[in-house]
Structures are given as C-alpha cells and as structure tokens.
Amino acid sequence: MGIWVFLFFIFLKALLTHINSPADLKKLPQEQLPLLAQELREFIIDVVATKEGHLGASLGVVELTIALHYVFDTPNDKLIWDVGHQAYGHKILTGRKEIFDTNRQLGGISGFPKRNESEYDDFGTGHSSTAISAILGMAMSSKLLGHNNKQHIAVVGDASIASGMAFEGLNHLGVTDVNALIILNDNAIGIDPSVGALKKYLTNVKTGTAKDENIFECLNLNYSGPIDGHDLDALISGLERLKKVPGPKLLHVITTKGKGLQKAEENQVLYHAPGKFDKRTGERISKPPLEQPPKYQDVFGHTLLELARENEKIVGITPAMPTGSSLKIMMDAIPERAFDVGIAEQHAVTLAAGMASQGVIPFCNIYSTFLQRAYDQVIHDVALQNLPVIFCLDRAGIVGQDGPTHHGVFDLAYLRCIPNITVFAPMNEMELRNIMYTAQLGLSGPIAIRYPRGRGVNINWRADFEPIDMGKARCIKKGSKIALLTVGHIGNLVPKLLEKHPNPEEIGHYDMRFVKPLDQQTLTEVFKNYDHIVTLEDGAKMGGFGSAVLEFANAENFVKPVKIFGIPDNFVEHGTISETHALAGIDFDTVLAYIKST
C-alpha cells in the first residue's frame, strides 16, 4: 500500500510537467487543481528568484489563472490581463513553460502579454487600464460577426480600474449587451498601495460597510462577489455560473499579492519586482556593499525634499509611482505636500497645471513612457496656457528588460514640437540637482527634465546648488575635427570613447543639455570650427535632438555633415541596457567605430 501512495504522490507532484496547454489542464480532476496551484507558484518563484522579473502580481493570481483556463475555452474565448505583470502563470500554462526562463532576456519571451508571441495573448498590456476598452472592442466585434457564444474576459487590478480610461470603458460597457466579464482583482495594491476614494469604497465592500448602492451595479453591470480569489472551487463555480449570464458583468475577487511566499506577502512593494532572492526563504540576495553613485530617481527624491524644506510653495505629484520615482522620500517627510494620485497621468498633469495657475510650484514626476498617456494635457492644459509646471521624467531612454512598452524613447521628439516648453536632459547628478534648483526659482513656462533609469556617475553629488543658465550648453572639451554633441546621461560615454580613439585631440565634446531651446550660439561656433558633427541621444532619432540640430543647420545654411546616433524607427525589444543599446546602434562599439572611421 505504501509504494502506491508514494507513486501517487510522485505523479501528483509532476502535474505541471504534463501541462503544455489549457487542453491539458482541463484533463485534470478539479480536486487536483490546488496541488497544481502549489506547483505553479513554486515554478514562478524558482525562475524569478534567479532570472528576476515581476513576482508578487503573478503569485497573487495563480488560482484565478488556473480557474480561467479551466472554465473558459481559450484562445477561442478572449482573455486579457491588465496590467500584464499578472500574466506569468498564464504564460506558463499556455505553452511557454519550457522557455519561461528566457523571460525578459534578449531573444526570449516578453515580461508582458504580447500578441505576436502567442495566440493566447489576446492583447498587449504593458501599460495599465486598457483592458476594459479592448475587451469591449472584441466583444462588440464578436457580436457584429455573429460569434454569439464567444466569451470575453478582462482581469483588471483594483489600482488599474481607478484610472480614467478604465472608467471610460466601464461607462460604455454598461450600456451595451455584449458578452463581457470584467474580473476585478482586488488586492489593494498596484506597485505601491492603491489610493483614492474607489480604494476606500472597495475596502468597505470587503468589510461589509459599503453603502447600499453598488457602484458597479449603478453602471449597469451584473455584479458578483466579493469572493476569495484563492479558493479554486469558489472561483470555478462562480465562473461557470457567469458563463451562462448574458450581457456585461463584473466579478469581484479578493487576492493577496505575493501569495505563497511569506516575504512577498509581508513586503508587497519591494517584492513587486525584487531582483534575485533565495527561493526557499524569500530573502533578497544582497550584493557586497559598494560605494556607488546614486540612482537618478534618488537624486530627484532627496533634492526635491531639500528644496521643499526651503521653499514652501513646492509640491510633488506622481501617478502611482511614489517608490519608483522616490517621491516617497518627500511623502514620508512632508506628506501634506506630496501627492500620489493613482494611475491617472492625465489627472496628474492637469492637477499640476491647476496648482501652477495659483502660484504653487508643482514637480510632476512621471515615467517618460507614461507621460505619453497625458499628451493632450501637456499641450492643452499646460503649454497652451504657459503654466510653469516642472515635469520630471524618470526612466527616460531605453530601460532594458521591461521592453518596448516601457522604453522612454519618444519624449524628446514629442515634447520639443510643443510651443512654450523647455526640454532639458542632465548629464549627471549635479546637473539634475541644479536644474531642479533653477526651475523652482521661477520660470516663465513649463519645463521637462528627463533622466534615465539607473545610477549616475558621481559618488560626491551633494554639491551646493548653482543656477543653470537657461538654454546654454557646456563645452566639456574642445577639438579640431569632430564635434560630439550629446544630451543627457549618454554623454558620459564620450570620455571612454576618447580613451580608445587614436587621436583624441581631434574630438570636441559639447554637453548640449537643452534640446529646446537649442543653444544657437554654441551650435554656430561648432559648425564653423569643426569638419564633422556627431549627435548622440538616448531617444528617437526621428524628430529628436539630432533632428533639431539638422533643422538649425538648414536654417543657417550650414552644410557640414551631421551624423545622428539615436533610436531608429522601430520598437527596441527587451534585454539588458547594453544589449538594447546595441540593438539600437547607440552602444560604445558602434559609436567608436564611426568616429574612428571619420
């Protein structure tokens, strides 16, 4: 008897091994699914512990992932994850288990759902709050095409559903009769804890103290829940029932982000994407302490607090990224003047505009890739009215393994075409501090300060503030033949290039700093005194800094050759920073080879 129990146990422990598609999953009896959930959770932990990536969000939806693929007929039924860092379990169960260790690696699978990666990835979701509109579009299309039995499901986090676009989708969904199910994954946290009145309402729903009217029923959705998102039997029963319910509906599911790994449950912010950790204990693997330059985000955070303590008009604003942007430093010290507005980039920008109109000095910190979501507000609410909002654009340029949804490469191009706005890119920590200091002294209009993900270059960066001469470049080194014009942190590549160049005295280096306005006086001197001009930027080549230099040369009738190094006209895939820079052709070897041959 004992050997059969042992063999049965071995078979059960190998459940995930035999599952390469939802069809395989459906062969399992329902009572075995909790063991599969345990295996799936362990598999995610095993891989992310060594390969890194997003952890807590996917651990929190393991049971929900299994239930969805067990009940619905994916990929015929449409399933969208919002945002996509919830989707690791989904990827593993849909044929990518054997290659999951390539997640976020160059040439490997994406960290987010991606349409051209799998037929099970029905919609790309690297940014939040798009799933309701997308699933409604799919459901409406199915109705138009006569596919009346097709199911349409969107899994939306509680932080994502508070975004304006999500509400726009709900508002439309509620007046349709399409077959769509919104699953509200309520865990009270996005990357940082969820905020706002809707979060308080959902808390009241969970505790049974909400007002009689249900907000989702008022939007004409068939509401069910809340139910335990880690109870597979309850999930499967609820989903089977809702399959038979016509029209738009919402299932409220309560989950725990980081479920199954104690450290991830205890520190949900840190274990959103913890880096490498011990898969048994959850302890993060710490590197030997080294004296390193600070991260740009921390320079921003500490500098803002330093300035705010001296200038009571300064406020900080972020859309849901207080930890990632380091605005949390000010939020902890002066909470009444630092605001997390949730996943609401449009609101963040116009809130800042309203404050600026009343003489307050708003530092609006938004990741470069997310400012794209508030482009009209930048134009209509800020620039058109020439309001002195200070935009601090974190994660500008290529960001590495998060890939094309998160690369902040378009900001220079899409901002410099807007009237009234100043665009600045610091080359190092001191320039970031000094432009922040200069901006709060008083501006005639808005400014965008963009800086990259990662560390700067100086250990001793807390120098005294010095005002920056607006619109003026820095000549770092004069040369005789080739002028290298750089903007931002990528300019730190030049000293290393000079070390490898056989004739470094021929190379001049200019830290242009301002993409708008361009320092025309410096550019005139450059075009008169050098034979060849090379521009280098960690941004889109089309319409970016190099394009601005060409426009200047054309207007002034300069005919010297200009070589532009920037991001080409394609989306750069995921990989390490060095790998993605090489893909984009802005890496050390490519630039060095060019200037050696010139």
Side-chain angles (χ1 to χ4, degrees):
M1 181 68 178
I3 188 63
W4 290 109
V5 171
F6 175 76
L7 290 173
F8 183 62
F9 177 75
I10 293 296
F11 168 74
L12 287 180
K13 288 299 287 182
L15 289 177
L16 186 58
T17 303
H18 301 288
I19 294 175
N20 297 303
S21 71
D24 296 330
L25 173 64
K26 294 175 192 294
K27 295 174 184 176
L28 291 177
Q30 188 170 323
E31 59 268 21
Q32 290 187 4
L33 296 183
L35 184 55
L36 175 64
Q38 180 182 336
E39 289 188 38
L40 181 56
R41 196 167 263 120
E42 290 172 355
F43 188 88
I44 294 170
I45 291 170
D46 283 351
V47 174
V48 179
T50 57
K51 297 294 184 177
E52 304 187 12
H54 296 104
L55 179 68
S58 285
L59 292 183
V61 295
V62 163
E63 287 83 6
L64 179 58
T65 304
I66 291 171
L68 286 167
H69 284 294
Y70 196 74
V71 171
F72 293 101
D73 180 26
T74 56
N76 180 55
D77 291 335
K78 302 291 108 180
L79 174 61
I80 302 179
W81 298 89
D82 186 350
V83 289
H85 54 236
Q86 300 179 93
Y88 284 9
H90 160 81
K91 291 197 171 202
I92 293 163
L93 294 178
T94 55
R96 287 164 278 183
K97 179 175 78 263
E98 301 303 324
I99 57 171
F100 187 68
D101 63 350
T102 70
N103 183 44
R104 303 171 80 247
Q105 310 298 312
L106 183 67
I109 63 173
S110 170
F112 302 99
K114 192 172 183 180
R115 277 172 52 83
N116 64 4
E117 183 179 293
S118 170
E119 62 177 342
Y120 291 93
D121 290 1
D122 290 301
F123 203 78
T125 48
H127 293 181
S128 81
S129 312
T130 60
I132 297 174
S133 297
I135 207 68
L136 177 55
M138 292 177 183
M140 293 173 69
S141 298
S142 292
K143 184 179 178 183
L144 287 169
L145 297 172
H147 303 154
N148 297 320
N149 295 322
K150 185 174 288 190
Q151 304 285 333
H152 309 85
I153 309 101
V155 182
V156 184
D158 66 298
S160 296
I161 208 166
S163 169
M165 185 175 178
F167 263 93
E168 292 171 23
L170 287 174
N171 184 54
H172 187 185
L173 176 63
V175 294
T176 70
D177 60 355
V178 298
N179 188 17
L181 169 62
I182 309 303
I183 296 178
L184 173 57
N185 175 25
D186 184 358
N187 59 18
I189 188 167
I191 296 176
D192 285 272
S194 302
V195 298
L198 183 60
K199 181 260 180 92
K200 290 184 177 180
Y201 168 78
L202 293 175
T203 299
N204 291 339
V205 170
K206 286 182 278 191
T207 59
T209 59
K211 295 180 180 179
D212 291 339
E213 284 191 316
N214 180 289
I215 189 171
F216 301 110
E217 290 177 344
C218 292
L219 289 169
N220 204 33
L221 304 178
N222 185 318
Y223 173 87
S224 299
I227 67 171
D228 182 354
H230 302 297
D231 184 336
L232 271 159
D233 290 336
L235 285 169
I236 290 171
S237 175
L239 294 173
E240 289 284 8
R241 180 183 64 81
L242 288 169
K243 273 175 68 172
K244 303 177 181 68
V245 175
K249 43 205 172 278
L250 185 140
L251 176 62
H252 188 174
V253 173
I254 310 301
T255 64
T256 299
K257 187 171 182 178
K259 179 73 172 178
L261 184 65
Q262 185 177 351
K263 290 289 185 182
E265 293 185 35
E266 292 172 349
N267 194 333
Q268 295 175 327
V269 174
L270 187 62
Y271 281 79
H272 173 76
K276 294 181 180 179
F277 61 93
D278 187 315
K279 66 182 181 181
R280 296 164 299 171
T281 66
E283 290 286 350
R284 297 173 73 218
I285 297 173
S286 58
K287 298 175 182 177
L290 297 173
E291 191 175 25
Q292 299 182 81
K295 294 179 180 179
Y296 277 99
Q297 67 187 59
D298 291 336
V299 174
F300 161 81
H302 288 293
T303 302
L304 183 63
L305 177 58
E306 190 176 344
L307 293 171
R309 282 179 166 149
E310 298 297 323
N311 187 340
E312 63 183 14
K313 291 184 178 181
I314 288 175
V315 299
I317 299 169
T318 182
M321 301 301 294
T323 300
S325 70
S326 293
L327 183 64
K328 196 171 189 305
I329 294 169
M330 181 177 173
M331 291 177 72
D332 289 342
I334 317 176
E336 67 277 12
R337 286 164 54 196
F339 309 100
D340 176 4
V341 301
I343 302 176
E345 293 86 0
Q346 293 173 301
H347 168 60
V349 171
T350 304
L351 175 70
M355 288 181 160
S357 75
Q358 301 305 302
V360 171
I361 303 171
F363 281 77
C364 186
N365 187 297
I366 303 181
Y367 286 12
S368 170
T369 186
F370 296 145
L371 187 66
Q372 296 161 188
R373 295 158 61 93
Y375 191 53
D376 182 61
Q377 286 68 31
V378 173
I379 295 172
H380 181 272
D381 299 338
V382 177
L384 182 61
Q385 303 182 93
N386 208 22
L387 292 168
V389 173
I390 303 165
F391 293 107
C392 295
L393 306 187
D394 199 344
R395 271 64 166 182
I398 287 179
V399 298
Q401 291 171 315
D402 280 342
T405 58
H406 282 59
H407 294 322
V409 299
F410 304 112
D411 51 9
L412 295 180
Y414 74 63
L415 287 172
R416 80 173 189 87
C417 63
I418 302 173
N420 293 335
I421 196 166
T422 295
V423 182
F424 181 93
M427 184 172 157
N428 56 40
E429 302 92 327
M430 288 78 77
E431 285 197 337
L432 175 55
R433 280 173 56 79
N434 287 335
I435 195 63
M436 291 175 66
Y437 168 75
T438 304
Q440 58 88 43
L441 292 176
L443 296 171
S444 59
I447 186 171
I449 306 165
R450 57 105 70 176
Y451 47 91
R453 180 181 188 176
R455 297 187 181 277
V457 292
N458 294 288
I459 300 292
N460 300 314
W461 55 275
R462 289 181 182 268
D464 291 340
F465 291 118
E466 296 179 6
I468 285 179
D469 194 356
M470 299 297 283
K472 294 299 181 182
R474 291 192 306 154
C475 176
I476 295 177
K477 175 186 176 297
K478 289 193 174 182
S480 59
K481 181 181 177 184
I482 302 171
L484 271 172
L485 312 180
T486 66
V487 287
H489 176 82
I490 201 168
N492 294 294
L493 200 67
V494 176
K496 300 172 186 176
L497 291 170
L498 296 179
E499 290 177 4
K500 298 294 184 180
H501 196 279
N503 304 111
E505 71 281 355
E506 296 179 349
I507 312 299
H509 180 203
Y510 294 80
D511 171 25
M512 295 302 294
R513 307 195 294 186
F514 290 90
V515 175
K516 185 177 184 178
L518 286 173
D519 184 345
Q520 297 194 9
Q521 180 179 347
T522 294
L523 284 177
T524 298
E525 294 174 2
V526 165
F527 274 92
K528 286 181 177 179
N529 295 317
Y530 291 87
D531 300 327
H532 205 102
I533 290 84
V534 178
T535 69
L536 179 59
E537 62 197 292
D538 188 5
K541 184 184 297 186
M542 294 182 66
F545 165 65
S547 289
V549 172
L550 279 179
E551 291 165 14
F552 165 82
N554 181 64
E556 299 298 320
N557 294 314
F558 289 117
V559 294
K560 301 286 180 67
V562 178
K563 170 66 175 179
I564 299 174
F565 282 98
I567 311 301
D569 186 26
N570 57 263
F571 291 104
V572 178
E573 291 302 315
H574 56 271
T576 64
I577 294 292
S578 59
E579 288 169 342
T580 47
H581 275 201
L583 287 175
I586 58 171
D587 58 298
F588 178 90
D589 290 339
T590 302
V591 178
L592 178 62
Y594 180 81
I595 61 173
K596 276 185 172 181
S597 67
T598 301

